[in-house]
Amino acid sequence: MFHLTARDLTFILVGMLAAAVRRRDPDRTRERLLESGFAEIYSRGFQAASLDAIVERADVSKGALYHHFPGKHALGYAVLDEVIGGYTELRWLNPIREAADPLTAIAGTMREAFHSDYEHGCPLNNLSQEMSRMDEGFHQRIAALYRRWEGGVAAALARGQQRGLVDPAVNVHDAATFIVASIEGAYSLAKGRQDRAPLMACLAGITRFLESLRRG
């Protein structure tokens, strides 16, 4: 799906901190734990992630971690819901939500994302491959996030149909699933090969596909 850059992560966490300030809660412990939890899970995988490494990186005590999260799974769920979910909105959905031309906007999100780092793959796809069959809590959250992503793409294409830009015969839900599946497959291949070429090939192919949806 995407690589979460330091700038993107900072953007999300600053927003979370602003919300905390509005609640008159100056404690950043939870935000630091989410940040360090994401970094550890993204680099090592959930099962190999170390709570000791997470609390050390966050510069908090183990007791502080358990105050905010009952255990490792609870922290992992929060990382998925809040950090990876927030990134999905920031990177993939917000730019296409009110786009005048959704076909161009969808291709633009891919172009920007694919020029980020790819070596560790997509954090959502990584968790899906590792945990969906092992843990129902992860499975439900991952499936819901994929549905949200696909639904956002489908809604953008439907708005394009309403504006006369997208062929009315297009099944926007099938098209959205194809687009998201192509992005995720390209990230998996790029990670496995440690090569950006699959991402560039995906960008070229999906750009052509999007243009084929344009109303003549």
Side-chain angles (χ1 to χ4, degrees):
M1 179 180 78
F2 42 73
H3 170 72
L4 203 61
T5 65
R7 179 173 175 271
D8 295 325
L9 185 56
T10 298
F11 182 90
I12 294 168
L13 293 170
V14 165
M16 292 163 60
L17 176 59
V21 170
R22 287 194 296 271
R23 295 192 304 269
R24 300 189 179 190
D25 179 6
D27 185 9
R28 281 205 66 236
T29 300
R30 189 174 187 277
E31 282 75 17
R32 291 201 301 272
L33 286 166
L34 286 172
E35 181 179 4
S36 61
F38 169 80
E40 177 75 0
I41 292 168
Y42 187 37
S43 63
R44 302 189 62 195
F46 177 77
Q47 294 176 84
S50 163
L51 290 181
D52 289 336
I54 290 169
V55 297
E56 181 178 357
R57 184 193 293 262
D59 193 25
V60 303
S61 68
K62 187 73 73 72
L65 184 148
Y66 287 120
H67 173 75
H68 291 282
F69 304 102
K72 183 177 177 182
H73 276 71
L75 174 60
Y77 296 158
V79 166
L80 178 56
D81 292 339
E82 300 178 41
V83 180
I84 298 176
Y87 180 81
T88 303
E89 291 287 334
L90 174 71
R91 171 66 82 190
W92 298 107
L93 297 179
N94 287 350
I96 67 175
R97 192 162 276 130
E98 300 299 332
D101 182 346
L103 299 174
T104 299
I106 292 167
T109 62
M110 295 174 61
R111 186 173 298 107
E112 182 174 354
F114 287 178
H115 281 93
S116 298
D117 294 339
Y118 60 88
E119 288 86 352
H120 294 296
C122 157
L124 176 56
N125 191 39
N126 291 349
L127 279 174
S128 176
Q129 295 297 319
E130 180 187 9
M131 298 302 298
S132 280
R133 294 184 60 189
M134 296 186 62
D135 181 85
E136 186 62 21
F138 274 111
H139 169 246
Q140 291 180 359
R141 288 168 171 81
I142 289 164
L145 186 48
Y146 274 130
R147 285 194 296 269
R148 196 164 95 210
W149 185 4
E150 293 173 46
V153 174
L157 294 174
R159 286 190 293 272
Q161 288 178 324
Q162 294 168 2
R163 295 169 184 165
L165 299 172
V166 176
D167 188 334
V170 170
N171 184 314
V172 297
H173 299 287
D174 287 350
T177 297
F178 175 69
I179 291 165
V180 172
S182 298
I183 291 169
E184 291 292 72
Y187 268 114
S188 290
L189 190 55
K191 176 185 175 182
R193 287 173 43 175
Q194 289 293 286
D195 180 3
R196 195 186 302 277
L199 297 176
M200 297 299 98
C202 178
L203 174 61
I206 293 298
T207 299
R208 290 191 296 270
F209 171 71
L210 288 166
E211 286 303 312
S212 77
L213 307 183
R214 195 175 294 279
R215 188 171 188 174

